[in-house]
Amino acid sequence: MIEEIRKAVRDAALGNQKIAMFHFQVLKNAVALESFDPESFCLEIGVPKTYQTEFRKMLSLARVMRQQGVGLS
């Protein structure tokens, strides 16, 4: 999963969509990523440490979406 996310984010950077793809990947994999340390995750996929905040936001958004019955299909 980490390698897939890393590749998707790296490839999206070529089209100036890096942060959008980062958000999408975290939302899509939120359940599996909840146990990850935000800083370690960012380092593993090769994005700046500052993306930790975005990681936390997307996990929170995913929880709200689940509570509201909204899923990613």
Side-chain angles (χ1 to χ4, degrees):
M1 174 185 60
I2 295 297
E3 184 55 39
E4 290 175 20
I5 295 171
R6 180 185 304 121
K7 182 181 179 336
V9 171
R10 184 183 57 226
D11 291 349
L14 299 172
N16 294 322
Q17 295 293 315
K18 182 177 179 177
I19 192 70
M21 182 56 71
F22 179 84
H23 285 160
F24 173 71
Q25 290 295 325
V26 174
L27 277 174
K28 183 176 98 170
N29 297 290
V31 172
L33 294 173
E34 286 184 350
S35 63
F36 278 69
D37 172 67
E39 184 175 354
S40 296
F41 174 76
C42 291
L43 291 172
E44 282 189 58
I45 67 161
V47 297
K49 282 184 1 179
T50 56
Y51 277 47
Q52 292 178 75
T53 300
E54 300 304 315
F55 179 84
R56 289 184 184 103
K57 287 178 187 178
M58 290 304 103
L59 290 184
S60 292
L61 177 58
R63 279 190 288 278
V64 169
M65 289 173 66
R66 284 193 304 271
Q67 290 168 354
Q68 298 298 316
V70 177
L72 294 172
S73 55

